[in-house]
Amino acid sequence: MRVRITDNFSANLQSIEDYWAGTDFPHSFDRLLDELDQSVIPNLERYPEMGRAFSRHPCESVEARVHTERLTVGLSSIREYLLEEYLLLYLPADAVYLLAIRHHKQLSYDFERLWLNH
């Protein structure tokens, strides 16, 4: 199955690159890109359902419930892929859409910006 990158995922990558460029570990972004290219994307192409259902995480606030109810895609369709330091959200549909990626220390996702931009 083909893997597609959404605008939000690209913006997340840019934010991660900007962060690592300002540290003593700029090669960390290159490691992330290598992992995406050599492992994550090939795995998702072959096994698009491999990640855990993101909906297993309960909404613990009214704000989170409001945002998830506004999603045009059912929350149960969104899956998560765990990397060593990152959590990736994706949607297997007619293709695998990479929705968002965050470092494990980042607090949350901005669901309003997760609309699919094919």
Side-chain angles (χ1 to χ4, degrees):
M1 186 173 285
R2 185 170 179 188
V3 174
R4 296 181 180 225
I5 296 173
T6 63
D7 291 343
N8 186 72
F9 190 86
S10 293
N12 290 166
L13 283 178
Q14 184 63 55
S15 175
I16 292 167
E17 181 180 26
D18 293 346
Y19 170 77
W20 285 119
T23 69
D24 292 334
F25 304 102
H27 62 280
S28 293
F29 183 69
D30 293 333
R31 283 189 328 172
L32 171 61
L33 292 181
D34 288 345
E35 187 171 6
L36 289 171
D37 185 51
Q38 296 171 13
S39 180
V40 175
I41 290 174
N43 285 343
L44 290 175
E45 286 173 337
R46 264 186 100 179
Y47 309 105
E49 300 289 331
M50 70 180 286
R52 295 184 297 195
F54 186 68
S55 62
R56 70 185 182 85
H57 301 289
C59 292
E60 296 182 4
S61 70
V62 172
E63 293 85 2
R65 279 191 209 107
V66 168
H67 288 297
T68 57
E69 288 169 0
R70 291 185 0 204
L71 289 172
T72 58
V73 175
L75 187 60
S76 62
S77 300
I78 296 174
R79 305 192 71 78
E80 61 184 21
Y81 188 113
L82 296 174
L83 290 81
E84 186 175 325
E85 296 181 349
Y86 297 90
L87 173 69
L88 184 147
L89 296 183
Y90 71 96
L91 175 69
D94 59 319
V96 175
Y97 294 93
L98 302 182
L99 301 174
I101 186 168
R102 297 287 178 132
H103 192 275
H104 68 86
K105 292 182 180 178
Q106 289 176 293
L107 295 176
S108 66
Y109 288 91
D110 180 359
F111 281 106
E112 286 187 47
R113 291 183 36 186
L114 281 177
W115 304 116
L116 296 178
N117 298 310
H118 316 313

